[in-house]
Amino acid sequence: MTDGLGPRPADAVVFDLGNVLITWDPAAAVAVAVGPERARAFVTDPDFDFAAWNRANDAGRGLDEAERVALASHPHYAQEIVAYREHFGASLVGEVEGSVEILRELHAADVPLFALTNWSADLFPVALDRFDFLDLFEDIIVSGEEGVAKPDPEIFEVLEERVSHRAGLDDCIFIDDSPANVSAAAETGLDAVHFTGPEHLREDLIARGMPLRRHP
């Protein structure tokens, strides 16, 4: 804690995962089977609406059901639909190095760390197997396991329960790349930070009193 002259450090920091710590590109998974041109056309086709289909999976729908529904409504996309799960690992392009560096610095300084991610329960084990930095979190709330996804206020009630031994929501910093999620988080009392890149995040956290190195 500070002496009252500077910002008061938060009791915990809550990270989103996709495109904050892990670069995610769904077209990259589909492209393994059908090539980049067809993959991009599929994930951007408003008639299929990949974002809405994926959001339902993040909110708890199993992928067997998700594929059944999609294959029935869009049979011409059969290869693309099946390829997403089959090659999901390819959608995890890599870690966002600057963000992971921040995560490791916070962990080294004994800052309690949590994650709140919109992710299919069927697919999250792929990330756990691949990214060792996920072990730095005290707890990870996965929307697909909870049956509700950001920005639904209910998932922040889940977060509140899971961090309650450490802090209240108003004592936590929350980091997300989605403006809608940031807005919803702020309404619950979280100090919500819109992620636009690692360097901006570092400055945002330093301004909040977090123990991070300043880059030259």
Side-chain angles (χ1 to χ4, degrees), residues 94-108:
E95 66 179 56
V96 181
E97 291 184 4
S99 298
V100 174
E101 181 183 5
I102 289 169
L103 181 74
R104 293 191 187 281
E105 285 181 40
L106 293 174
H107 182 263

